[in-house]
PDB file of all heavy atoms in Angstrom:
ATOM      1  N   LEU A  59    -173.202-157.064  98.058  1.00  0.00           N
ATOM      2  CA  LEU A  59    -172.005-157.283  98.877  1.00  0.00           C
ATOM      3  C   LEU A  59    -171.865-158.743  99.300  1.00  0.00           C
ATOM      4  O   LEU A  59    -170.775-159.310  99.248  1.00  0.00           O
ATOM      5  CB  LEU A  59    -172.038-156.394 100.125  1.00  0.00           C
ATOM      6  CG  LEU A  59    -171.777-154.911  99.900  1.00  0.00           C
ATOM      7  CD1 LEU A  59    -172.023-154.140 101.187  1.00  0.00           C
ATOM      8  CD2 LEU A  59    -170.365-154.696  99.407  1.00  0.00           C
ATOM      9  N   VAL A  60    -172.966-159.361  99.697  1.00  0.00           N
ATOM     10  CA  VAL A  60    -172.923-160.770 100.084  1.00  0.00           C
ATOM     11  C   VAL A  60    -172.499-161.627  98.895  1.00  0.00           C
ATOM     12  O   VAL A  60    -171.632-162.498  99.018  1.00  0.00           O
ATOM     13  CB  VAL A  60    -174.287-161.243 100.648  1.00  0.00           C
ATOM     14  CG1 VAL A  60    -174.321-162.755 100.810  1.00  0.00           C
ATOM     15  CG2 VAL A  60    -174.593-160.558 101.964  1.00  0.00           C
ATOM     16  N   GLY A  61    -173.100-161.370  97.736  1.00  0.00           N
ATOM     17  CA  GLY A  61    -172.741-162.131  96.541  1.00  0.00           C
ATOM     18  C   GLY A  61    -171.276-161.980  96.179  1.00  0.00           C
ATOM     19  O   GLY A  61    -170.600-162.959  95.849  1.00  0.00           O
ATOM     20  N   LEU A  62    -170.769-160.755  96.252  1.00  0.00           N
ATOM     21  CA  LEU A  62    -169.351-160.526  95.933  1.00  0.00           C
ATOM     22  C   LEU A  62    -168.435-161.175  96.961  1.00  0.00           C
ATOM     23  O   LEU A  62    -167.370-161.686  96.613  1.00  0.00           O
ATOM     24  CB  LEU A  62    -169.075-159.026  95.823  1.00  0.00           C
ATOM     25  CG  LEU A  62    -169.766-158.328  94.642  1.00  0.00           C
ATOM     26  CD1 LEU A  62    -169.542-156.816  94.716  1.00  0.00           C
ATOM     27  CD2 LEU A  62    -169.294-158.887  93.316  1.00  0.00           C
ATOM     28  N   CYS A  63    -168.840-161.171  98.222  1.00  0.00           N
ATOM     29  CA  CYS A  63    -168.051-161.848  99.256  1.00  0.00           C
ATOM     30  C   CYS A  63    -168.008-163.352  99.015  1.00  0.00           C
ATOM     31  O   CYS A  63    -166.959-163.978  99.161  1.00  0.00           O
ATOM     32  CB  CYS A  63    -168.610-161.551 100.647  1.00  0.00           C
ATOM     33  SG  CYS A  63    -168.266-159.884 101.223  1.00  0.00           S
ATOM     34  N   VAL A  64    -169.139-163.902  98.642  1.00  0.00           N
ATOM     35  CA  VAL A  64    -169.193-165.340  98.346  1.00  0.00           C
ATOM     36  C   VAL A  64    -168.292-165.650  97.152  1.00  0.00           C
ATOM     37  O   VAL A  64    -167.544-166.626  97.159  1.00  0.00           O
ATOM     38  CB  VAL A  64    -170.638-165.802  98.094  1.00  0.00           C
ATOM     39  CG1 VAL A  64    -170.694-167.211  97.522  1.00  0.00           C
ATOM     40  CG2 VAL A  64    -171.449-165.724  99.381  1.00  0.00           C
ATOM     41  N   LEU A  65    -168.335-164.801  96.129  1.00  0.00           N
ATOM     42  CA  LEU A  65    -167.489-165.024  94.947  1.00  0.00           C
ATOM     43  C   LEU A  65    -165.999-164.883  95.278  1.00  0.00           C
ATOM     44  O   LEU A  65    -165.174-165.593  94.720  1.00  0.00           O
ATOM     45  CB  LEU A  65    -167.855-164.033  93.839  1.00  0.00           C
ATOM     46  CG  LEU A  65    -169.126-164.339  93.074  1.00  0.00           C
ATOM     47  CD1 LEU A  65    -169.482-163.183  92.151  1.00  0.00           C
ATOM     48  CD2 LEU A  65    -168.984-165.628  92.286  1.00  0.00           C
ATOM     49  N   GLY A  66    -165.666-163.968  96.175  1.00  0.00           N
ATOM     50  CA  GLY A  66    -164.267-163.714  96.498  1.00  0.00           C
ATOM     51  C   GLY A  66    -163.681-164.651  97.534  1.00  0.00           C
ATOM     52  O   GLY A  66    -162.475-164.688  97.731  1.00  0.00           O
ATOM     53  N   SER A  67    -164.523-165.425  98.185  1.00  0.00           N
ATOM     54  CA  SER A  67    -164.054-166.315  99.238  1.00  0.00           C
ATOM     55  C   SER A  67    -163.608-167.645  98.647  1.00  0.00           C
ATOM     56  O   SER A  67    -164.373-168.297  97.944  1.00  0.00           O
ATOM     57  CB  SER A  67    -165.183-166.550 100.244  1.00  0.00           C
ATOM     58  OG  SER A  67    -164.801-167.527 101.185  1.00  0.00           O
ATOM     59  N   PRO A  68    -162.376-168.054  98.930  1.00  0.00           N
ATOM     60  CA  PRO A  68    -161.924-169.338  98.392  1.00  0.00           C
ATOM     61  C   PRO A  68    -162.705-170.505  98.985  1.00  0.00           C
ATOM     62  O   PRO A  68    -162.903-171.520  98.352  1.00  0.00           O
ATOM     63  CB  PRO A  68    -160.460-169.406  98.791  1.00  0.00           C
ATOM     64  CG  PRO A  68    -160.310-168.439  99.902  1.00  0.00           C
ATOM     65  CD  PRO A  68    -161.377-167.402  99.736  1.00  0.00           C
ATOM     66  N   LYS A  69    -163.173-170.352 100.203  1.00  0.00           N
ATOM     67  CA  LYS A  69    -163.954-171.402 100.861  1.00  0.00           C
ATOM     68  C   LYS A  69    -165.058-170.719 101.660  1.00  0.00           C
ATOM     69  O   LYS A  69    -164.784-169.953 102.574  1.00  0.00           O
ATOM     70  CB  LYS A  69    -163.062-172.215 101.782  1.00  0.00           C
ATOM     71  CG  LYS A  69    -163.772-173.323 102.494  1.00  0.00           C
ATOM     72  CD  LYS A  69    -162.791-174.067 103.376  1.00  0.00           C
ATOM     73  CE  LYS A  69    -163.471-174.321 104.709  1.00  0.00           C
ATOM     74  NZ  LYS A  69    -162.571-174.894 105.679  1.00  0.00           N
ATOM     75  N   ASN A  70    -166.282-170.933 101.261  1.00  0.00           N
ATOM     76  CA  ASN A  70    -167.404-170.318 101.972  1.00  0.00           C
ATOM     77  C   ASN A  70    -167.708-171.110 103.235  1.00  0.00           C
ATOM     78  O   ASN A  70    -167.687-172.329 103.233  1.00  0.00           O
ATOM     79  CB  ASN A  70    -168.635-170.268 101.075  1.00  0.00           C
ATOM     80  CG  ASN A  70    -168.402-169.364  99.898  1.00  0.00           C
ATOM     81  OD1 ASN A  70    -168.035-168.211 100.077  1.00  0.00           O
ATOM     82  ND2 ASN A  70    -168.590-169.871  98.705  1.00  0.00           N
ATOM     83  N   SER A  71    -168.005-170.394 104.294  1.00  0.00           N
ATOM     84  CA  SER A  71    -168.258-171.064 105.561  1.00  0.00           C
ATOM     85  C   SER A  71    -169.719-171.470 105.688  1.00  0.00           C
ATOM     86  O   SER A  71    -170.611-170.906 105.060  1.00  0.00           O
ATOM     87  CB  SER A  71    -167.867-170.163 106.725  1.00  0.00           C
ATOM     88  OG  SER A  71    -168.822-169.139 106.891  1.00  0.00           O
ATOM     89  N   THR A  72    -169.929-172.440 106.537  1.00  0.00           N
ATOM     90  CA  THR A  72    -171.289-172.882 106.843  1.00  0.00           C
ATOM     91  C   THR A  72    -172.082-171.737 107.451  1.00  0.00           C
ATOM     92  O   THR A  72    -173.278-171.614 107.216  1.00  0.00           O
ATOM     93  CB  THR A  72    -171.239-174.079 107.815  1.00  0.00           C
ATOM     94  OG1 THR A  72    -170.439-175.104 107.234  1.00  0.00           O
ATOM     95  CG2 THR A  72    -172.618-174.619 108.095  1.00  0.00           C
ATOM     96  N   VAL A  73    -171.421-170.882 108.225  1.00  0.00           N
ATOM     97  CA  VAL A  73    -172.102-169.758 108.878  1.00  0.00           C
ATOM     98  C   VAL A  73    -172.762-168.852 107.838  1.00  0.00           C
ATOM     99  O   VAL A  73    -173.902-168.407 108.020  1.00  0.00           O
ATOM    100  CB  VAL A  73    -171.113-168.950 109.759  1.00  0.00           C
ATOM    101  CG1 VAL A  73    -171.756-167.699 110.291  1.00  0.00           C
ATOM    102  CG2 VAL A  73    -170.589-169.805 110.884  1.00  0.00           C
TER     103      VAL A  73
END
Side-chain angles (χ1 to χ4, degrees):
L59 287 173
V60 170
L62 294 174
C63 286
V64 169
L65 283 172
S67 173
K69 180 180 137 187
N70 295 306
S71 75
T72 304
V73 173

